[in-house]
Short mmCIF file of all heavy atoms in Angstrom, two decimals:
data_model
loop_
_atom_site.label_atom_id
_atom_site.label_comp_id
_atom_site.label_asym_id
_atom_site.label_seq_id
_atom_site.Cartn_x
_atom_site.Cartn_y
_atom_site.Cartn_z
N LEU D 112 -2.29 -0.50 -6.57
CA LEU D 112 -0.83 -0.41 -6.48
C LEU D 112 -0.36 -1.61 -5.59
O LEU D 112 -1.02 -1.96 -4.61
CB LEU D 112 -0.47 0.92 -5.78
CG LEU D 112 0.92 1.45 -5.96
CD1 LEU D 112 1.11 1.96 -7.35
CD2 LEU D 112 1.22 2.56 -4.93
N LEU D 121 5.60 4.00 6.82
CA LEU D 121 4.55 5.04 7.07
C LEU D 121 3.56 4.56 8.10
O LEU D 121 3.25 5.25 9.09
CB LEU D 121 3.78 5.39 5.79
CG LEU D 121 2.56 6.30 6.00
CD1 LEU D 121 3.02 7.75 6.27
CD2 LEU D 121 1.66 6.29 4.72
N ASP D 141 -8.36 6.73 5.36
CA ASP D 141 -7.24 6.44 4.47
C ASP D 141 -7.63 6.92 3.06
O ASP D 141 -8.53 6.33 2.46
CB ASP D 141 -6.95 4.93 4.50
CG ASP D 141 -5.91 4.47 3.48
OD1 ASP D 141 -5.41 5.29 2.74
OD2 ASP D 141 -5.59 3.28 3.54
N LEU D 142 -7.05 8.05 2.62
CA LEU D 142 -7.48 8.65 1.37
C LEU D 142 -6.69 8.10 0.19
O LEU D 142 -5.44 8.16 0.17
CB LEU D 142 -7.14 10.19 1.42
CG LEU D 142 -7.91 11.01 2.40
CD1 LEU D 142 -7.31 12.44 2.47
CD2 LEU D 142 -9.38 11.13 2.03
N GLY D 143 -7.45 7.52 -0.73
CA GLY D 143 -6.78 6.86 -1.87
C GLY D 143 -6.25 5.49 -1.36
O GLY D 143 -5.07 5.19 -1.50
N CYS D 144 -7.18 4.70 -0.80
CA CYS D 144 -6.72 3.47 -0.08
C CYS D 144 -6.18 2.39 -0.93
O CYS D 144 -5.48 1.51 -0.42
CB CYS D 144 -7.91 2.98 0.78
SG CYS D 144 -9.29 2.38 -0.26
N ILE D 149 -2.99 0.20 4.18
CA ILE D 149 -2.71 1.21 5.24
C ILE D 149 -3.84 1.16 6.25
O ILE D 149 -3.59 0.89 7.46
CB ILE D 149 -2.53 2.62 4.72
CG1 ILE D 149 -1.33 2.70 3.73
CG2 ILE D 149 -2.40 3.62 5.88
CD1 ILE D 149 -1.17 4.07 3.05
N MET D 193 -11.27 12.30 -3.63
CA MET D 193 -10.80 12.92 -2.37
C MET D 193 -11.95 13.41 -1.51
O MET D 193 -12.84 12.60 -1.24
CB MET D 193 -9.77 14.02 -2.67
CG MET D 193 -8.47 13.45 -3.22
SD MET D 193 -7.73 12.20 -2.13
CE MET D 193 -6.31 11.70 -3.11
N ILE D 205 -4.74 9.78 6.87
CA ILE D 205 -3.47 9.22 6.36
C ILE D 205 -3.65 9.00 4.83
O ILE D 205 -4.76 8.66 4.38
CB ILE D 205 -3.12 7.90 7.07
CG1 ILE D 205 -1.78 7.40 6.68
CG2 ILE D 205 -4.21 6.84 6.91
CD1 ILE D 205 -1.18 6.38 7.61
N SER D 206 -2.55 9.21 4.12
CA SER D 206 -2.67 9.00 2.67
C SER D 206 -1.30 8.73 2.04
O SER D 206 -0.33 9.32 2.40
CB SER D 206 -3.25 10.21 1.95
OG SER D 206 -3.38 9.98 0.58
N ASN D 207 -1.30 7.74 1.11
CA ASN D 207 -0.17 7.52 0.19
C ASN D 207 -0.81 7.75 -1.19
O ASN D 207 -1.11 6.88 -1.86
CB ASN D 207 0.37 6.07 0.35
CG ASN D 207 1.38 5.80 -0.80
OD1 ASN D 207 1.93 6.72 -1.35
ND2 ASN D 207 1.52 4.53 -1.10
N PRO D 208 -0.88 9.05 -1.52
CA PRO D 208 -1.57 9.38 -2.82
C PRO D 208 -0.62 9.13 -4.01
O PRO D 208 0.56 8.94 -3.73
CB PRO D 208 -1.90 10.84 -2.63
CG PRO D 208 -0.79 11.36 -1.87
CD PRO D 208 -0.42 10.23 -0.87
N PRO D 209 -1.11 9.21 -5.19
CA PRO D 209 -0.21 9.28 -6.33
C PRO D 209 0.76 10.53 -6.16
O PRO D 209 0.23 11.61 -5.76
CB PRO D 209 -1.05 9.44 -7.57
CG PRO D 209 -2.45 9.30 -7.07
CD PRO D 209 -2.48 9.35 -5.60
N TYR D 210 2.06 10.37 -6.44
CA TYR D 210 2.91 11.53 -6.33
C TYR D 210 4.01 11.56 -7.35
O TYR D 210 5.00 12.33 -7.22
CB TYR D 210 3.49 11.61 -4.88
CG TYR D 210 4.21 10.42 -4.33
CD1 TYR D 210 5.47 10.02 -4.89
CD2 TYR D 210 3.73 9.73 -3.23
CE1 TYR D 210 6.11 8.92 -4.34
CE2 TYR D 210 4.39 8.71 -2.69
CZ TYR D 210 5.60 8.25 -3.25
OH TYR D 210 6.26 7.17 -2.69
N ILE D 211 3.91 10.86 -8.44
CA ILE D 211 4.93 10.83 -9.44
C ILE D 211 4.58 11.93 -10.53
O ILE D 211 3.38 12.05 -10.86
CB ILE D 211 5.05 9.47 -10.09
CG1 ILE D 211 5.55 8.49 -9.01
CG2 ILE D 211 6.05 9.47 -11.27
CD1 ILE D 211 5.65 7.03 -9.45
N LEU D 228 -3.49 5.71 -12.45
CA LEU D 228 -4.29 6.46 -11.52
C LEU D 228 -3.72 6.52 -10.09
O LEU D 228 -3.88 7.51 -9.37
CB LEU D 228 -5.70 5.89 -11.46
CG LEU D 228 -6.84 6.57 -10.78
CD1 LEU D 228 -7.10 7.94 -11.43
CD2 LEU D 228 -8.10 5.73 -10.81
N ALA D 229 -3.01 5.48 -9.72
CA ALA D 229 -2.42 5.41 -8.41
C ALA D 229 -0.97 5.93 -8.38
O ALA D 229 -0.41 6.01 -7.28
CB ALA D 229 -2.44 3.97 -7.89
N LEU D 230 -0.43 6.24 -9.53
CA LEU D 230 1.01 6.59 -9.56
C LEU D 230 1.22 8.12 -9.80
O LEU D 230 2.01 8.80 -9.16
CB LEU D 230 1.73 5.84 -10.71
CG LEU D 230 1.88 4.34 -10.47
CD1 LEU D 230 2.35 3.63 -11.75
CD2 LEU D 230 2.91 4.09 -9.36
N TYR D 231 0.51 8.59 -10.90
CA TYR D 231 0.86 9.93 -11.46
C TYR D 231 -0.02 11.03 -10.85
O TYR D 231 -1.24 10.79 -10.66
CB TYR D 231 0.77 9.95 -12.95
CG TYR D 231 1.78 9.07 -13.59
CD1 TYR D 231 1.45 7.86 -14.14
CD2 TYR D 231 3.13 9.48 -13.62
CE1 TYR D 231 2.39 7.04 -14.74
CE2 TYR D 231 4.12 8.68 -14.29
CZ TYR D 231 3.76 7.41 -14.80
OH TYR D 231 4.71 6.69 -15.37
N ALA D 232 0.57 12.22 -10.60
CA ALA D 232 -0.24 13.31 -10.02
C ALA D 232 0.22 14.66 -10.61
O ALA D 232 0.68 15.58 -9.94
CB ALA D 232 -0.07 13.30 -8.47
N GLY D 236 3.79 16.37 -9.74
CA GLY D 236 3.46 15.25 -8.78
C GLY D 236 2.77 15.66 -7.54
O GLY D 236 2.61 14.82 -6.61
N LEU D 237 2.32 16.91 -7.49
CA LEU D 237 1.70 17.37 -6.26
C LEU D 237 0.23 17.60 -6.28
O LEU D 237 -0.39 17.99 -5.27
CB LEU D 237 2.35 18.74 -5.87
CG LEU D 237 3.86 18.73 -5.63
CD1 LEU D 237 4.47 20.10 -5.61
CD2 LEU D 237 4.19 17.95 -4.29
N ASP D 238 -0.41 17.24 -7.36
CA ASP D 238 -1.84 17.51 -7.56
C ASP D 238 -2.68 16.93 -6.40
O ASP D 238 -3.60 17.64 -5.87
CB ASP D 238 -2.38 16.90 -8.82
CG ASP D 238 -2.01 17.74 -10.04
OD1 ASP D 238 -1.30 18.79 -9.84
OD2 ASP D 238 -2.45 17.43 -11.19
N CYS D 239 -2.38 15.79 -5.99
CA CYS D 239 -3.22 15.15 -4.91
C CYS D 239 -3.04 15.75 -3.54
O CYS D 239 -3.96 15.93 -2.77
CB CYS D 239 -2.98 13.63 -4.80
SG CYS D 239 -3.70 12.73 -6.21
N TYR D 240 -1.77 16.15 -3.26
CA TYR D 240 -1.53 16.83 -1.94
C TYR D 240 -2.25 18.17 -1.96
O TYR D 240 -2.89 18.55 -0.91
CB TYR D 240 -0.06 17.09 -1.71
CG TYR D 240 0.77 15.84 -1.68
CD1 TYR D 240 1.70 15.55 -2.65
CD2 TYR D 240 0.63 14.93 -0.63
CE1 TYR D 240 2.46 14.42 -2.65
CE2 TYR D 240 1.33 13.73 -0.60
CZ TYR D 240 2.29 13.47 -1.63
OH TYR D 240 2.98 12.29 -1.55
N ARG D 241 -2.21 18.85 -3.07
CA ARG D 241 -2.94 20.17 -3.14
C ARG D 241 -4.41 19.97 -2.86
O ARG D 241 -5.06 20.72 -2.10
CB ARG D 241 -2.67 20.90 -4.47
CG ARG D 241 -1.42 21.69 -4.49
CD ARG D 241 -1.28 22.59 -5.70
NE ARG D 241 -1.06 21.76 -6.90
CZ ARG D 241 0.16 21.55 -7.39
NH1 ARG D 241 1.22 22.12 -6.93
NH2 ARG D 241 0.28 20.76 -8.46
N ILE D 243 -5.93 17.43 -1.37
CA ILE D 243 -6.23 17.02 0.02
C ILE D 243 -6.06 18.22 0.95
O ILE D 243 -6.99 18.46 1.80
CB ILE D 243 -5.27 15.88 0.46
CG1 ILE D 243 -5.41 14.64 -0.36
CG2 ILE D 243 -5.45 15.54 1.96
CD1 ILE D 243 -4.43 13.54 -0.10
N ALA D 258 -0.89 12.19 8.22
CA ALA D 258 0.31 11.44 7.80
C ALA D 258 0.30 11.20 6.30
O ALA D 258 -0.65 10.61 5.77
CB ALA D 258 0.27 10.07 8.55
N PHE D 259 1.33 11.67 5.64
CA PHE D 259 1.47 11.50 4.21
C PHE D 259 2.71 10.70 3.84
O PHE D 259 3.79 11.00 4.40
CB PHE D 259 1.59 12.83 3.46
CG PHE D 259 0.42 13.69 3.37
CD1 PHE D 259 0.54 15.08 3.43
CD2 PHE D 259 -0.85 13.12 3.27
CE1 PHE D 259 -0.58 15.90 3.37
CE2 PHE D 259 -1.99 13.95 3.19
CZ PHE D 259 -1.87 15.32 3.21
N GLU D 260 2.63 9.79 2.89
CA GLU D 260 3.85 9.35 2.19
C GLU D 260 4.12 10.37 1.10
O GLU D 260 3.14 10.92 0.50
CB GLU D 260 3.66 7.95 1.63
CG GLU D 260 4.93 7.43 0.94
CD GLU D 260 4.85 5.99 0.51
OE1 GLU D 260 4.32 5.11 1.20
OE2 GLU D 260 5.35 5.77 -0.63
N ILE D 261 5.38 10.61 0.82
CA ILE D 261 5.74 11.63 -0.21
C ILE D 261 6.87 11.07 -1.10
O ILE D 261 7.58 10.12 -0.71
CB ILE D 261 6.19 12.92 0.39
CG1 ILE D 261 7.38 12.62 1.36
CG2 ILE D 261 5.09 13.72 1.08
CD1 ILE D 261 8.23 13.85 1.68
N GLY D 262 7.02 11.67 -2.27
CA GLY D 262 8.21 11.41 -3.08
C GLY D 262 9.36 12.10 -2.40
O GLY D 262 9.21 13.10 -1.70
N GLN D 265 9.89 15.86 -2.24
CA GLN D 265 8.69 16.69 -2.09
C GLN D 265 8.54 17.15 -0.59
O GLN D 265 7.57 17.80 -0.27
CB GLN D 265 7.47 15.91 -2.52
CG GLN D 265 7.46 15.61 -4.01
CD GLN D 265 6.39 14.62 -4.41
OE1 GLN D 265 6.00 13.78 -3.57
NE2 GLN D 265 5.91 14.74 -5.60
N VAL D 269 5.62 19.97 0.35
CA VAL D 269 4.39 19.46 1.06
C VAL D 269 4.31 20.01 2.42
O VAL D 269 3.21 20.42 2.91
CB VAL D 269 4.41 17.91 1.02
CG1 VAL D 269 3.24 17.35 1.91
CG2 VAL D 269 4.27 17.35 -0.35
#
Side-chain angles (χ1 to χ4, degrees):
L112 201 73
L121 171 74
D141 176 356
L142 294 171
C144 65
I149 297 174
M193 291 306 177
I205 187 163
S206 185
N207 170 23
Y210 54 67
I211 296 175
L228 188 61
L230 290 169
Y231 294 106
L237 297 167
D238 282 5
C239 286
Y240 300 112
R241 275 191 288 263
I243 296 172
F259 286 147
E260 182 173 319
I261 54 160
Q265 296 169 330
V269 173

